Coordinates of all heavy atoms in Angstrom, one line a residue:
H163 N 175.2 132.5 51.3 CA 175.8 132.5 50.0 C 175.4 131.2 49.2 O 176.1 130.8 48.3 CB 177.4 132.5 50.0 CG 177.9 133.7 50.8 ND1 177.7 135.0 50.3 CD2 178.5 133.8 52.0 CE1 178.3 135.8 51.2 NE2 178.7 135.1 52.2
T164 N 174.2 130.7 49.6 CA 173.6 129.6 48.8 C 172.2 130.1 48.4 O 171.8 131.2 48.7 CB 173.4 128.3 49.6 OG1 172.4 128.6 50.6 CG2 174.7 127.9 50.4
F165 N 171.5 129.3 47.7 CA 170.2 129.7 47.2 C 169.2 129.9 48.3 O 168.1 130.5 48.2 CB 169.6 128.7 46.2 CG 168.8 127.5 46.8 CD1 167.5 127.5 46.9 CD2 169.5 126.4 47.3 CE1 166.8 126.5 47.5 CE2 168.9 125.4 47.9 CZ 167.5 125.4 48.0
V166 N 169.6 129.5 49.5 CA 168.7 129.7 50.7 C 168.9 131.2 51.2 O 167.9 131.7 51.8 CB 169.2 128.8 51.9 CG1 168.4 129.0 53.2 CG2 169.0 127.3 51.4
D167 N 170.0 131.8 50.9 CA 170.2 133.2 51.3 C 169.2 134.1 50.6 O 168.9 134.0 49.4 CB 171.7 133.6 50.8 CG 172.2 134.9 51.3 OD1 171.5 135.9 51.3 OD2 173.4 134.9 51.8
P168 N 168.6 135.0 51.4 CA 167.6 135.9 50.8 C 168.1 136.8 49.6 O 167.4 137.3 48.8 CB 167.1 136.8 51.9 CG 168.2 136.7 53.0 CD 168.8 135.3 52.8
R169 N 169.4 136.9 49.5 CA 170.0 137.7 48.4 C 170.0 136.8 47.1 O 170.3 137.4 46.0 CB 171.5 138.1 48.8 CG 171.5 139.1 49.9 CD 172.9 139.3 50.4 NE 173.4 138.2 51.1 CZ 174.6 138.1 51.8 NH1 175.3 139.2 51.9 NH2 174.9 137.0 52.4
Q170 N 169.7 135.6 47.2 CA 169.6 134.7 46.1 C 168.1 134.4 46.0 O 167.3 135.2 45.5 CB 170.5 133.5 46.2 CG 172.0 133.8 46.1 CD 172.9 132.6 46.0 OE1 172.5 131.6 45.5 NE2 174.1 132.8 46.4
L171 N 167.7 133.2 46.4 CA 166.3 132.8 46.2 C 165.5 132.7 47.5 O 164.3 132.5 47.5 CB 166.2 131.4 45.5 CG 166.7 131.4 44.0 CD1 166.7 130.0 43.5 CD2 165.8 132.3 43.2
G172 N 166.2 132.8 48.6 CA 165.5 132.7 49.9 C 164.8 131.3 50.1 O 163.7 131.2 50.7
A173 N 165.4 130.3 49.5 CA 164.9 128.9 49.6 C 163.6 128.6 48.8 O 163.0 127.5 48.9 CB 164.7 128.5 51.0
R174 N 163.2 129.5 48.0 CA 162.0 129.3 47.2 C 162.2 128.4 46.0 O 163.2 128.4 45.4 CB 161.5 130.7 46.6 CG 161.1 131.7 47.7 CD 160.8 133.0 47.0 NE 160.3 134.0 47.9 CZ 161.1 134.8 48.6 NH1 162.5 134.7 48.5 NH2 160.6 135.7 49.5
Q175 N 161.2 127.6 45.7 CA 161.2 126.7 44.6 C 160.0 127.0 43.6 O 160.0 126.4 42.5 CB 161.1 125.2 45.0 CG 162.3 124.7 45.8 CD 163.6 124.6 45.0 OE1 163.6 124.9 43.8 NE2 164.7 124.2 45.6
S176 N 159.1 127.9 44.0 CA 158.0 128.2 43.1 C 157.8 129.7 43.1 O 158.0 130.4 44.1 CB 156.7 127.5 43.5 OG 156.3 127.8 44.8
P177 N 157.3 130.3 41.9 CA 157.1 131.7 41.9 C 156.1 132.2 42.9 O 156.1 133.4 43.3 CB 156.6 131.9 40.4 CG 157.2 130.8 39.7 CD 157.1 129.6 40.6
S178 N 155.1 131.4 43.2 CA 154.0 131.9 44.1 C 154.5 131.9 45.6 O 153.8 132.5 46.4 CB 152.8 130.9 44.0 OG 153.2 129.6 44.3
A179 N 155.7 131.4 45.8 CA 156.2 131.5 47.2 C 156.8 132.9 47.4 O 158.0 133.1 47.2 CB 157.3 130.4 47.4
R180 N 156.0 133.8 47.8 CA 156.5 135.2 47.9 C 156.9 135.6 49.3 O 157.6 136.6 49.5 CB 155.3 136.1 47.4 CG 155.0 135.9 45.9 CD 154.0 136.9 45.4 NE 153.6 136.6 44.0 CZ 152.6 135.8 43.6 NH1 151.9 135.2 44.6 NH2 152.4 135.6 42.4
E181 N 156.4 135.0 50.3 CA 156.7 135.4 51.7 C 158.2 135.1 52.0 O 158.7 134.1 51.6 CB 155.8 134.6 52.7 CG 156.0 135.1 54.2 CD 155.2 134.4 55.1 OE1 154.3 133.6 54.7 OE2 155.3 134.5 56.4
D182 N 158.8 136.0 52.7 CA 160.2 135.9 53.1 C 160.2 135.1 54.4 O 159.8 135.5 55.5 CB 160.9 137.2 53.3 CG 161.0 138.0 52.1 OD1 161.1 137.4 51.0 OD2 160.9 139.3 52.1
L183 N 160.8 133.8 54.3 CA 160.9 133.0 55.5 C 162.3 133.1 56.2 O 162.5 132.6 57.3 CB 160.7 131.5 55.1 CG 159.4 131.1 54.5 CD1 159.2 129.6 54.4 CD2 158.2 131.7 55.3
V184 N 163.2 133.9 55.5 CA 164.6 134.0 56.0 C 165.0 135.4 55.7 O 164.7 136.0 54.7 CB 165.5 133.0 55.4 CG1 165.5 133.0 53.9 CG2 166.9 133.1 55.9
E185 N 165.8 136.0 56.7 CA 166.3 137.4 56.5 C 167.8 137.4 56.9 O 168.3 136.6 57.7 CB 165.5 138.4 57.3 CG 165.6 138.2 58.8 CD 164.9 139.3 59.6 OE1 164.2 140.1 58.9 OE2 164.9 139.3 60.8
L186 N 168.5 138.4 56.3 CA 169.9 138.6 56.6 C 170.1 139.5 57.7 O 169.4 140.6 57.8 CB 170.6 139.2 55.3 CG 172.1 139.4 55.4 CD1 172.9 138.1 55.5 CD2 172.6 140.2 54.2
L187 N 171.0 139.1 58.7 CA 171.3 140.0 59.8 C 172.8 140.2 59.9 O 173.6 139.5 59.3 CB 170.9 139.3 61.1 CG 169.5 138.9 61.4 CD1 169.4 138.1 62.7 CD2 168.5 140.1 61.4
E188 N 173.2 141.3 60.6 CA 174.6 141.6 60.9 C 174.7 141.7 62.4 O 174.1 142.5 63.0 CB 175.1 142.8 60.2 CG 176.6 143.0 60.4 CD 177.1 144.2 59.6 OE1 177.0 144.2 58.4 OE2 177.7 145.2 60.3
V189 N 175.6 140.8 62.9 CA 175.8 140.8 64.4 C 177.3 141.0 64.6 O 178.1 140.1 64.1 CB 175.3 139.5 65.0 CG1 175.6 139.6 66.5 CG2 173.8 139.4 64.8
D190 N 177.7 142.0 65.3 CA 179.2 142.3 65.5 C 180.0 142.2 64.3 O 181.1 141.7 64.2 CB 179.7 141.3 66.5 CG 179.1 141.4 67.9 OD1 178.6 142.5 68.2 OD2 179.0 140.4 68.7
G191 N 179.4 142.8 63.2 CA 180.1 142.8 61.9 C 180.1 141.6 61.1 O 180.7 141.5 60.0
E192 N 179.4 140.5 61.6 CA 179.4 139.3 60.8 C 177.9 139.0 60.3 O 177.0 139.4 60.9 CB 179.8 138.1 61.7 CG 181.2 138.1 62.1 CD 181.6 136.8 62.9 OE1 180.8 135.8 62.8 OE2 182.6 136.8 63.6
E193 N 177.9 138.4 59.1 CA 176.6 138.1 58.5 C 176.0 136.8 59.1 O 176.7 135.8 59.3 CB 176.7 137.9 57.0 CG 177.1 139.2 56.3 CD 177.2 139.0 54.8 OE1 177.3 137.8 54.3 OE2 177.0 139.9 54.0
W194 N 174.7 136.8 59.4 CA 174.0 135.7 59.9 C 172.6 135.6 59.2 O 172.2 136.6 58.6 CB 173.7 135.8 61.4 CG 174.9 135.8 62.2 CD1 175.8 136.8 62.5 CD2 175.4 134.7 63.0 NE1 176.8 136.5 63.3 CE2 176.6 135.1 63.6 CE3 175.0 133.4 63.1 CZ2 177.4 134.3 64.4 CZ3 175.8 132.5 63.9 CH2 177.0 133.0 64.6
L195 N 172.0 134.5 59.2 CA 170.6 134.4 58.7 C 169.7 134.1 59.8 O 170.0 133.3 60.7 CB 170.5 133.2 57.6 CG 171.3 133.4 56.4 CD1 171.1 132.1 55.5 CD2 171.0 134.6 55.6
R196 N 168.5 134.7 59.8 CA 167.4 134.4 60.7 C 166.3 133.7 60.0 O 165.7 134.3 59.1 CB 166.9 135.7 61.5 CG 165.8 135.3 62.5 CD 165.3 136.5 63.3 NE 164.4 137.4 62.5 CZ 163.1 137.2 62.6 NH1 162.5 136.4 63.4 NH2 162.3 138.0 61.9
F197 N 166.0 132.5 60.4 CA 164.9 131.8 59.9 C 163.7 132.0 60.8 O 163.8 131.7 62.0 CB 165.2 130.3 59.7 CG 166.2 130.0 58.7 CD1 167.6 130.0 59.0 CD2 165.9 129.7 57.4 CE1 168.6 129.8 58.0 CE2 166.8 129.5 56.4 CZ 168.2 129.5 56.7

């Protein structure tokens, strides 16, 4: 739920940064991030 979250900016600071370095996971019904 911060700009690091892939649902927001995925930690990007420039438009050319297109690769996804982080993804959203669900484990046992809870949200987690995988870097």
Side-chain angles (χ1 to χ4, degrees):
H163 306 293
T164 71
F165 85 98
V166 176
D167 193 312
R169 292 169 293 189
Q170 295 189 26
L171 293 174
R174 297 174 177 86
Q175 294 291 1
S176 60
S178 60
R180 299 185 181 92
E181 184 179 353
D182 295 326
L183 301 189
V184 56
E185 65 178 2
L186 182 69
L187 300 178
E188 185 175 300
V189 180
D190 296 334
E192 294 187 18
E193 292 182 340
W194 296 79
L195 297 180
R196 181 177 79 95
F197 292 88

